[in-house]
Amino acid sequence: MIPRYSRPQMVKIWEPENRFRIWFEIEAHACDAQAELGVIPKEAAAAVWERAKWDVARIDEIERETKHDVIAFLTNLAEHVGPEARFVHQGMTSSDVLDTCLAVQLKEATDLLLADMDALLAALARRAQEHKYTPSIGRSHGIHAEPVTFGLKLAGHYAAFKRGRDRLAAARDEIATCAISGAVGTFANIDPRVEEHVAAKLGLTVEPMSTQVIPRDRHAMYFAVLAVIAASIDNLATEVRHLQRSEVREAEEYFSPGQKGSSAMPHKRNPVLSENLSGLSRLIRSHVVPALENVTLWHERDISHSSVERVIAPDATIALDFALSRLTGMIDKLVVYPENMQRNLDMLGGLHNSQRVLLALTQAGMSREDAYRAVQRNAMPVWLEGKDFRTLLKADADVAKHLTADQIDGAFDLDYHTKHVDTVFKRVFGE
């Protein structure tokens, strides 16, 4: 991922130095277990820890000859450890190192992402409570429907990200498995207790059935969860983009002093953050298909999955980390215009109360079909001629037969639409 969309903590997880550190710990912990089992001398295991060094440039140099990254690492490690290095990697295969390392990296990355989501949830909860009863028009198909509150909008997004966090926590557990099972996963040349020891030291669980590789359905699910979270980011970002449109202007991204919106038009205040988030979300979602295709490997293993994961694992986690942080800042500073929300709510002369009038007529004895026709014929002039809905209803003879003027006025009470907001908030945020 390019530096523009990267944050240092997440980038560090995927840097070569960290990868080789994890590789070393896998090998060294395996040596400890082998020593306890009497497979290798305890002095050799101690020497691995004491003398271990590696150099990224030297590893790259060796790999240019060997065309094998794990062998290059082990060769460089041996240059520092000395003769005892012959006991390193006993009974293991490259995938034991690579797959277990990837599990550690994804676990570490997920811990950062979970913290990111906690920060986002806190920002959404605060802004939702702030605007719990701020009325605005709800839209279906982009068209005015019935009143909601801006707090309810944000509560809906909070609930989506809370589900996303729960899924991510489960995905962390599913991806965090260790495989130290040898060439085709049979433990022919290494004791299963070595795997158990390494897993415990690295904070992983034992992979129940590895065929030299950890099954890639785990990884496919992991990247699918990241994609769903990215979709939730896009959903919220798209909402902000719509609300910031000049003809709506119910909310907008914070426009900082000195910020400029256009190289050509000095007046512009563009939703650049949310547009950026929509783009990053597309990128993260695009990793799902390659991850799914990685599930299918030849027999016990091949490495067709490897090149894919070397790209999508860092890119997806780095991009999502950046996107969650950016979204949190955007929500935290989001500028809300309640007066514009009220203006838009009143724009169509009360049409958002059409269902209340329809129901009142049916409860007063009119058939649903006749009530629908009566309400609709009074609604259309409001759309087409800008007339007042309430006035038209009161002048309609069929409506007047069933509803008094006071009853019609009662159907235009805004508080009616928000009477259960507190119930929804308790369901979303708890008591």
Side-chain angles (χ1 to χ4, degrees), residues 25 105 147 215 309-310 366:
E25 289 183 4
Q105 288 175 299
E309 290 165 357
R310 288 172 193 253
M366 186 180 282

Side-chain angles (χ1 to χ4, degrees), residues 361-378:
L361 286 170
T362 60
Q363 290 166 0
M366 186 180 282
S367 73
R368 185 175 180 88
E369 292 75 15
D370 288 344
Y372 195 101
R373 279 191 291 269
V375 174
Q376 189 179 50
R377 70 170 174 258
N378 286 289

Side-chain angles (χ1 to χ4, degrees), residues 21-337:
R21 176 191 62 81
I22 299 169
W23 286 11
F24 167 71
E25 289 183 4
I26 293 168
E27 297 283 8
H29 287 309
C31 285
D32 285 344
Q34 299 268 43
E36 286 298 319
L37 293 170
V39 176
I40 69 172
K42 290 186 177 181
E43 296 79 10
V48 171
W49 284 104
E50 290 167 6
R51 302 178 200 157
K53 290 181 183 177
W54 57 88
D55 179 76
V56 175
R58 175 62 178 144
I59 294 169
D60 289 343
E61 179 187 356
I62 298 169
E63 187 182 358
R64 283 193 287 273
E65 178 184 345
T66 63
K67 308 296 191 294
H68 195 294
D69 55 355
V70 175
I71 291 175
F73 170 75
L74 292 171
T75 301
N76 181 227
L77 186 65
E79 291 173 342
H80 296 282
V81 172
E84 290 85 355
R86 69 185 186 277
F87 295 111
V88 176
H89 207 69
Q90 287 273 312
M92 295 170 60
T93 190
S94 299
S95 290
D96 291 334
V97 178
L98 295 169
D99 280 13
T100 301
C101 175
L102 181 59
V104 173
Q105 288 175 299
L106 290 175
K107 176 172 69 77
E108 292 177 353
T110 307
D111 288 340
L112 293 182
L113 294 175
L114 288 168
D116 291 341
M117 296 201 74
D118 288 339
L120 175 58
L121 289 167
L124 283 168
R126 182 178 66 80
R127 299 310 302 271
Q129 294 290 348
E130 179 185 348
H131 293 285
K132 183 176 181 179
Y133 290 106
T134 301
S136 65
I137 187 65
R139 299 170 175 90
S140 58
H141 305 273
I143 306 302
H144 284 206
E146 293 187 351
V148 295
T149 74
F150 190 62
L152 281 176
K153 281 180 178 281
L154 294 178
H157 291 287
Y158 175 97
F161 283 108
K162 178 63 169 63
R163 293 190 296 271
R165 192 200 186 284
D166 292 343
R167 295 185 190 110
L168 185 59
R172 180 196 184 280
D173 292 340
E174 185 173 4
I175 204 68
T177 64
C178 170
I180 309 288
S181 56
V184 287
T186 60
F187 299 97
N189 296 296
I190 193 164
D191 194 298
R193 286 173 289 181
V194 175
E195 182 182 67
E196 293 169 3
H197 177 82
V198 174
K201 289 294 184 180
L202 297 177
L204 305 173
T205 58
V206 167
E207 175 57 51
M209 176 62 215
S210 57
T211 60
Q212 188 177 132
V213 294
I214 292 174
R216 257 45 196 182
D217 61 286
R218 293 184 181 274
H219 303 75
M221 178 57 72
Y222 181 84
F223 288 105
V225 169
L226 299 193
V228 172
I229 294 170
S232 295
I233 291 173
D234 192 15
N235 190 29
L236 178 48
T238 300
E239 178 71 16
V240 172
R241 291 166 66 189
H242 281 306
L243 295 178
Q244 188 163 335
R245 284 180 297 135
S246 303
E247 62 272 25
V248 178
R249 205 155 181 263
E250 294 182 1
E252 69 172 347
E253 298 172 8
Y254 174 69
F255 198 81
S256 61
Q259 183 175 344
K260 293 176 173 59
S262 167
S263 64
M265 297 167 284
H267 72 279
K268 294 297 291 295
R269 296 164 68 98
N270 299 327
V272 292
L273 298 179
S274 46
E275 289 174 337
N276 169 257
L277 289 169
S278 289
L280 288 173
S281 297
R282 294 169 192 165
L283 182 64
I284 297 163
R285 295 197 297 267
S286 73
H287 297 324
V288 173
V289 171
L292 287 169
E293 292 180 348
N294 275 356
V295 174
T296 304
L297 302 176
W298 284 21
H299 304 297
E300 277 59 55
R301 74 158 297 204
D302 61 50
I303 63 163
S304 59
H305 61 89
S306 176
S307 56
V308 173
E309 290 165 357
R310 288 172 193 253
V311 174
I312 69 173
D315 276 12
T317 53
I318 291 171
L320 185 57
D321 172 59
F322 180 89
L324 287 168
S325 176
R326 171 156 285 186
L327 181 58
T328 299
M330 188 182 79
I331 293 301
D332 194 54
K333 292 185 176 182
L334 189 70
V335 181
V336 180
Y337 298 111

